[in-house]
Amino acid sequence: MNPTASSAREEILARIRAASGDAPSTDARIINRDYLAAHVETDLVDLLAENLTDYRARVYRAAAPADVAVIVAGLLHGPRLVVPDGVPDAWIPAEATALRDQPALDPATLDLTHAVLTGCALAIAETGTIVLDGGPGQGRRALTLVPDHHICVVRCPEQVVASIPQALPLLDPTRPQTWIAGPSATSDIELDRVEGVHGPRLLDVILLAARS
């Protein structure tokens, strides 16, 4: 180590010790961490829809699984639809060409698809966030990052929680999680928004009010 730099460091540390020598110890300080676990408890689905829309996602509501297929058919810009294992057949429109990930679809194939249809692990109303963890109906991360259009179904109300503190205990930290808040977007130093750099430019969310 440079002797000059070392001596300067020691001098600085000595000054800090001298200056803080009479400061009271912080060991006994009690920090109040009695934070609210959530700020809202009711109308979570409506709040989720509002915040998703604020993040430029398009939100639709389905009363039954068959309604999901009708909505998806209207959203597709082409027939090639990636469908992970576990997605109910009732969600897939007859007009779509369902591409299963068995064997695993390569990146070039994923890039040529028109959309991916998934479920989710849960959704957070206060932040308008959807979380995927690779479980049934969600698939591996590449399936929702490479296609330019993601259609995601949220089962309501059972998959909707109010806040992040309520969501975290429900998630397995060992699983690969993808947290989504609107279409993929970033901004450069001039704050010009660019969408689709790290994921889909289009995010459509279908709030399904019935079990399937």
Side-chain angles (χ1 to χ4, degrees):
M1 177 179 294
N2 186 324
T4 302
S6 177
S7 60
R9 177 177 179 275
E10 292 303 324
E11 182 179 347
I12 292 171
L13 291 175
R15 290 182 179 179
I16 294 174
R17 293 189 191 100
S20 61
D22 296 331
S25 172
T26 59
D27 294 342
R29 182 183 301 171
I30 298 175
I31 300 175
N32 182 11
R33 300 189 186 280
D34 188 21
Y35 306 127
L36 289 174
H39 296 86
V40 294
E41 296 293 344
T42 60
D43 301 324
L44 298 184
V45 175
D46 289 340
L47 180 60
L48 172 65
E50 178 182 340
N51 286 327
L52 283 167
T53 302
D54 194 44
Y55 280 122
R56 301 191 184 185
R58 299 183 299 188
V59 179
Y60 305 85
R61 295 178 187 257
D67 297 335
V68 173
V70 174
I71 295 171
V72 172
L75 296 174
L76 290 176
H77 301 287
R80 297 168 62 83
L81 179 67
V82 177
V83 181
D85 288 346
V87 169
D89 290 340
W91 293 2
I92 306 170
E95 302 90 329
T97 300
L99 302 177
R100 305 288 181 174
D101 196 35
Q102 294 290 343
L105 299 169
D106 60 73
T109 300
L110 289 174
D111 196 38
L112 293 174
T113 59
H114 295 101
V116 56
L117 173 65
T118 75
C120 68
L122 56 79
I124 304 170
E126 288 185 352
T127 60
T129 307
I130 295 172
V131 183
L132 278 65
D133 67 357
Q138 301 166 56
R140 55 194 175 97
R141 299 186 76 187
L143 301 188
T144 55
L145 294 176
V146 177
D148 204 30
H149 183 190
H150 183 189
I151 305 171
C152 184
V153 179
V154 180
R155 293 181 173 90
C156 302
E158 61 267 31
Q159 287 190 312
V160 182
V161 299
S163 65
I164 292 176
Q166 290 184 356
L168 291 177
L170 302 177
L171 297 169
D172 183 348
T174 66
R175 299 187 66 86
Q177 298 176 13
T178 303
W179 293 53
I180 303 168
S184 172
T186 188
S187 295
D188 60 17
I189 196 171
E190 301 293 336
L191 299 182
D192 292 328
R193 179 183 172 99
V194 180
E195 297 184 342
V197 176
H198 308 294
R201 283 183 293 181
L202 290 176
L203 174 63
D204 288 319
V205 180
I206 301 174
L207 304 178
L208 174 59
R211 295 180 182 276
S212 58

